[in-house]
Amino acid sequence: MSGEPQTAASDDQPVEQNPYGGAPSPGAPKRVRTRHFQNAKRDGIKITGLTSYDQLTARIFDEAGIDFLLVGDSAGNNVLGYETTLPVTVDELIPLTRAVAGAVKRAFVVADMPFGSYENGPEDALHTAVRFMKETGAHAVKLEGGERSHKQIRRIVGAGIPVMAHIGYTPQSEHGLGGHVIQGRGEGVRQLLADAKAVQDAGAFAVVLEMVPADAARQVTELLDIPTISVGAGPHTDGQLLVWTDWAGLTIGRVPKFVKQYADLSGILANAAKAWRDDVESGGYPNAEHSYE
């Protein structure tokens, strides 16, 4: 959302430049709100999103001008040491979300609702969403599912809480989907379009499309009035979202095809750790420079 002036008022004053050199240009919103997502779709401005699970990365991404940060249940794989996202609990995500929300000044923070926290129905979903909003300082919640989750979305939105929807490949349903399977191919595009319409009608302010063919994502983007956010859904959506450890080169093992790696932090950290070990073992650290008199 950093390429064009925005039309909304009071908090849309230009932000100051930052040490990372990636601040939004003059005219970008000082604090991203749900209306800025809608403005971006209207004006053809791409929306940028990354996951974040701690205050250090949240501050860096915020100052770099990333529009929204998702405290994803992908923390299960990237922070908590689980093989999947399924074991992640609300109690585990709340302190991570609180850390991210407390570190940002501009970015819009979205809290992921983990598996088991909304499937029982609208009231359970609202209870979970209220906890995130009251205990973390997040600005919105995200939950998976299209038609099957539209009642939950409607209930949460009706209580005044913004909802980002998530359709296509939904990781919390990986066993039901048969694994990491691309969604929306062939006849599957009909269900994808139905899911997209259902979440929009329920009041979601944006929808994530994960692992769907680029043409199917284009059809959804043209159908909807709300912004679409791609996670491996090609270039025709209104924005892009990636798990930060994937593009930063920290992910161990297979990296999804749709990920472009912008750094090799794994290699950098490994080399730094080896250099530290060698310095300590040789007596090179600490020296006089790093010692108190």
Side-chain angles (χ1 to χ4, degrees):
M1 299 184 196
S2 59
E4 298 287 344
Q6 302 295 316
T7 57
S10 60
D11 60 344
D12 290 358
Q13 299 304 312
V15 296
E16 296 179 357
Q17 293 297 314
N18 68 76
Y20 301 99
S25 62
K30 183 176 181 181
R31 167 70 81 175
V32 177
R33 310 285 187 179
T34 54
R35 67 176 179 270
H36 297 123
F37 284 79
Q38 195 62 49
N39 290 350
K41 182 179 181 76
R42 179 197 66 202
D43 297 336
I45 301 169
K46 293 293 188 179
I47 301 163
T48 57
L50 289 172
T51 63
S52 179
Y53 318 106
D54 62 88
Q55 62 97 8
L56 294 174
T57 57
R59 178 180 58 83
I60 292 170
F61 299 157
D62 183 49
E63 293 183 350
I66 302 303
D67 295 315
F68 75 96
L69 300 180
L70 171 66
V71 187
D73 60 2
S74 50
N77 312 80
N78 295 300
V79 177
L80 302 172
Y82 303 142
E83 291 186 3
T84 71
T85 64
L86 295 180
V88 177
T89 67
V90 173
D91 287 338
E92 288 172 326
L93 285 185
I94 280 179
L96 304 184
T97 308
R98 185 186 299 123
V100 170
V104 304
K105 295 181 179 179
R106 175 184 179 271
F108 189 86
V109 177
V110 182
D112 221 351
M113 293 173 58
F115 178 69
S117 69
Y118 59 92
E119 286 85 353
N120 283 339
E123 295 308 314
D124 275 2
L126 178 60
H127 174 75
T128 300
V130 167
R131 279 201 65 191
F132 273 113
M133 300 301 285
K134 288 177 69 70
E135 298 179 36
T136 71
H139 309 122
V141 296
K142 181 178 78 65
L143 67 157
E144 296 181 2
E147 289 183 319
R148 67 180 171 87
S149 296
H150 79 277
K151 291 181 180 179
Q152 288 92 323
I153 295 172
R154 188 178 302 277
R155 183 71 179 96
I156 296 169
V157 172
I161 301 172
V163 173
M164 178 178 282
H166 184 155
I167 62 174
Y169 174 71
T170 47
Q172 294 173 10
S173 306
E174 68 166 302
H175 296 304
L177 295 173
H180 291 74
V181 180
I182 296 171
Q183 302 297 303
R185 281 178 167 165
E187 291 300 312
V189 72
R190 294 184 180 179
Q191 185 61 56
L192 186 71
L193 292 169
D195 285 337
K197 192 68 166 57
V199 300
Q200 175 173 274
D201 291 347
F205 73 90
V207 58
V208 170
L209 306 176
E210 182 166 355
M211 283 178 58
V212 303
D215 185 65
R218 179 189 56 77
Q219 293 182 56
V220 172
T221 301
E222 293 175 352
L223 171 71
L224 297 186
D225 296 322
I226 62 174
T228 55
I229 309 295
S230 167
V231 179
H236 307 303
T237 56
D238 300 302
Q240 297 288 331
L241 167 68
L242 283 178
V243 173
W244 87 265
T245 50
D246 286 346
W247 66 250
L250 278 177
T251 299
I252 298 174
R254 185 184 67 87
V255 176
K257 174 183 178 180
F258 57 82
V259 173
K260 178 179 178 179
Q261 289 194 313
Y262 287 82
D264 178 23
L265 293 192
S266 179
I268 291 171
L269 289 174
N271 289 335
K274 292 173 184 176
W276 150 260
R277 180 202 64 200
D278 292 345
D279 269 4
V280 171
E281 290 177 351
S282 68
Y285 179 87
N287 55 23
E289 180 185 356
H290 302 105
S291 301
Y292 296 107
E293 294 183 358

